[in-house]
Amino acid sequence: MVHHEAAHRLRGAPEHPARDPLVIQRLALAVQELDRVEGLSRPGELARTTLSVARCYAELGMHDTAEWYYRQALAATGSHKSAHLMVDALTGLAEALVFRAHACNDDADRYTFLERARDLAFEAASTASRTLGSADEAAVLVVIANVLSACGDTGDAAALLTRARGLATA
């Protein structure tokens, strides 16, 4: 699949604060690399590259497109079995859903996005707890706490921050 059309369209997009030329360059390089690795039998490389594309779209404020790429990265991590990549995909997807929720005008859709984000955040926390070292888990828990806070789940967010502080000082 060729992904570079979207990156090329961005170059001609009207100026927007989120249209940072360096992010657009990184996106162009990431989609070029994604085109290269898609035909290879390297799920880890595919997941890493797809995550790079997703992050660029998220930085550009294109959270619906970022969501799609985070889902593709998550699917690729399933066959690679990399905990770090899986946690990155889960947290990125949760963040993209939070942004989509806050941009949504429909209350029911907003609620759905936030619930999905919350579920993914807890899945990421659980995966991090089982598979990552203390320092990595602490860093992930801070991101997840931000997601949960944005979902209105301040109690669980505070609990995760307390756990992250404990892990960081252990």
Side-chain angles (χ1 to χ4, degrees), residues 94-117:
E95 288 175 314
L97 290 171
V98 165
F99 278 104
R100 291 198 63 200
H102 291 294
C104 189
N105 292 325
D106 181 84
D107 288 341
D109 288 343
R110 183 180 310 110
Y111 176 82
T112 300
F113 282 131
L114 291 174
E115 282 300 304
R116 287 173 40 211

Side-chain angles (χ1 to χ4, degrees), residues 20 26 50 82 91 127:
D20 181 333
R26 285 194 351 254
T50 306
S82 168
T91 55
T127 302

